[in-house]
Amino acid sequence: MTADPTVAVLAVTDQPLDLAAHEAAVADRRAGAVVSFQGVVRDHDHGRRVTLLEYEGHPSAADVLREVAAEIAAEPEVYAVAVSHRVGRLEIGDVALVAAVSTAHRAAAFDACARLVDEVKARLPIWKRQVFTDGTEEWVNCP
């Protein structure tokens, strides 16, 4: 008999995200693989230089994040899932999204973590404002 899957460190927060805390949250004696991901603010987008990002979240964002994490955690090969997303003003190099997944084997962990990140990006009601070096801005990734 296996233990129930764990969903942990779910946060939509304006505080810095800690990759090590997410990896620790998915630690499991049965796990032979822990795969993690950090989405980092880069200084460019589609050939334009970016100076900063600002994320704004809908009040339901934390609930949607929990739903997505629970769906991935419910998969038979997944032992634990941890995921968080930043909101507010982020500078170049800041971490906007952190995810970690544990499974028995690496292929399943890579697959589950990739699906977790893809689903969060597709479904989470968080909007991103990009500010460019030329003074212009745009809102992107609005689900």
Side-chain angles (χ1 to χ4, degrees):
M1 188 160 123
T2 61
D4 290 331
T6 300
V7 177
V9 194
L10 293 166
V12 175
T13 180
D14 61 358
Q15 298 301 304
L17 301 178
D18 182 352
L19 178 65
H22 286 69
E23 291 171 338
V26 301
D28 187 298
R29 293 172 53 105
R30 301 168 295 160
V34 171
V35 170
S36 58
F37 170 84
Q38 289 189 111
V40 179
V41 177
R42 63 183 182 271
D43 68 354
H44 65 279
D45 188 42
H46 294 96
R48 298 175 72 189
R49 303 291 296 175
V50 173
T51 60
L52 66 94
L53 300 181
E54 187 172 7
Y55 289 96
E56 185 174 319
H58 186 272
S60 68
D63 293 335
V64 173
L65 191 64
R66 275 191 290 280
E67 289 172 14
V68 171
E71 289 171 14
I72 299 297
E75 296 174 3
E77 67 277 4
V78 174
Y79 296 144
V81 171
V83 61
S84 298
H85 200 296
R86 285 269 311 264
V87 292
R89 181 183 172 125
L90 279 73
E91 303 292 333
I92 304 304
D94 285 346
V95 176
L97 172 65
V98 171
V101 175
S102 64
T103 67
H105 303 285
R106 72 178 176 272
F110 277 111
D111 182 58
C113 192
R115 283 184 289 103
L116 174 61
V117 170
D118 289 345
E119 286 298 311
V120 166
K121 297 283 286 175
R123 294 169 44 191
L124 198 63
I126 290 182
W127 301 274
K128 178 173 70 173
R129 181 175 70 99
Q130 297 188 118
V131 178
F132 299 100
T133 56
D134 65 5
T136 62
E137 63 181 53
E138 71 178 355
W139 287 90
V140 294
N141 294 346
C142 302

Short mmCIF file of all heavy atoms in Angstrom, two decimals, residues 31-33 77 79 103-110:
data_model
loop_
_atom_site.label_atom_id
_atom_site.label_comp_id
_atom_site.label_asym_id
_atom_site.label_seq_id
_atom_site.Cartn_x
_atom_site.Cartn_y
_atom_site.Cartn_z
N ALA A 31 11.18 7.88 -3.15
CA ALA A 31 11.51 8.62 -4.37
C ALA A 31 12.95 8.38 -4.81
O ALA A 31 13.88 8.56 -4.04
CB ALA A 31 11.28 10.11 -4.16
N GLY A 32 13.08 8.00 -6.06
CA GLY A 32 14.40 7.90 -6.67
C GLY A 32 14.69 9.11 -7.52
O GLY A 32 15.78 9.26 -8.06
N ALA A 33 13.70 10.02 -7.64
CA ALA A 33 13.88 11.21 -8.46
C ALA A 33 13.10 12.37 -7.88
O ALA A 33 11.93 12.23 -7.51
CB ALA A 33 13.41 10.94 -9.88
N GLU A 77 2.09 7.63 -10.28
CA GLU A 77 3.55 7.59 -10.14
C GLU A 77 4.10 8.75 -9.31
O GLU A 77 5.28 8.74 -8.95
CB GLU A 77 4.22 7.57 -11.52
CG GLU A 77 4.06 8.84 -12.32
CD GLU A 77 2.76 8.95 -13.10
OE1 GLU A 77 1.89 8.07 -13.00
OE2 GLU A 77 2.62 9.94 -13.84
N TYR A 79 4.68 11.03 -6.03
CA TYR A 79 4.66 10.95 -4.57
C TYR A 79 4.32 12.30 -3.95
O TYR A 79 3.60 12.36 -2.97
CB TYR A 79 6.01 10.47 -4.03
CG TYR A 79 6.37 9.07 -4.45
CD1 TYR A 79 7.68 8.74 -4.71
CD2 TYR A 79 5.41 8.07 -4.57
CE1 TYR A 79 8.04 7.45 -5.09
CE2 TYR A 79 5.76 6.78 -4.95
CZ TYR A 79 7.07 6.48 -5.21
OH TYR A 79 7.42 5.21 -5.58
N THR A 103 9.07 11.26 -7.65
CA THR A 103 8.52 9.99 -8.15
C THR A 103 9.59 8.91 -7.91
O THR A 103 10.71 9.22 -7.47
CB THR A 103 8.21 10.05 -9.66
OG1 THR A 103 9.43 10.19 -10.38
CG2 THR A 103 7.27 11.20 -10.01
N ALA A 104 9.27 7.70 -8.26
CA ALA A 104 10.24 6.62 -8.11
C ALA A 104 11.36 6.71 -9.15
O ALA A 104 12.50 6.37 -8.86
CB ALA A 104 9.55 5.26 -8.22
N HIS A 105 11.04 7.17 -10.35
CA HIS A 105 11.99 7.15 -11.46
C HIS A 105 12.06 8.50 -12.16
O HIS A 105 11.07 9.23 -12.21
CB HIS A 105 11.62 6.07 -12.47
CG HIS A 105 11.53 4.71 -11.86
ND1 HIS A 105 12.64 3.98 -11.50
CD2 HIS A 105 10.45 3.96 -11.51
CE1 HIS A 105 12.26 2.83 -10.97
NE2 HIS A 105 10.93 2.79 -10.96
N ARG A 106 13.22 8.82 -12.75
CA ARG A 106 13.47 10.14 -13.32
C ARG A 106 12.54 10.51 -14.47
O ARG A 106 12.10 11.65 -14.56
CB ARG A 106 14.93 10.30 -13.73
CG ARG A 106 15.34 9.51 -14.94
CD ARG A 106 16.80 9.77 -15.29
NE ARG A 106 17.18 8.92 -16.40
CZ ARG A 106 17.65 7.68 -16.27
NH1 ARG A 106 17.82 7.16 -15.08
NH2 ARG A 106 17.95 6.97 -17.34
N ALA A 107 12.24 9.59 -15.37
CA ALA A 107 11.40 9.95 -16.52
C ALA A 107 10.03 10.44 -16.06
O ALA A 107 9.52 11.44 -16.56
CB ALA A 107 11.26 8.76 -17.47
N ALA A 108 9.45 9.75 -15.10
CA ALA A 108 8.15 10.16 -14.57
C ALA A 108 8.24 11.51 -13.87
O ALA A 108 7.33 12.33 -13.97
CB ALA A 108 7.61 9.10 -13.62
N ALA A 109 9.34 11.76 -13.16
CA ALA A 109 9.50 13.03 -12.45
C ALA A 109 9.66 14.18 -13.44
O ALA A 109 9.04 15.25 -13.26
CB ALA A 109 10.69 12.97 -11.50
N PHE A 110 10.47 13.99 -14.49
CA PHE A 110 10.62 15.04 -15.50
C PHE A 110 9.28 15.33 -16.17
O PHE A 110 8.90 16.48 -16.35
CB PHE A 110 11.66 14.64 -16.56
CG PHE A 110 13.07 14.92 -16.16
CD1 PHE A 110 13.94 13.87 -15.90
CD2 PHE A 110 13.55 16.22 -16.05
CE1 PHE A 110 15.26 14.12 -15.54
CE2 PHE A 110 14.85 16.47 -15.69
CZ PHE A 110 15.72 15.42 -15.43
#
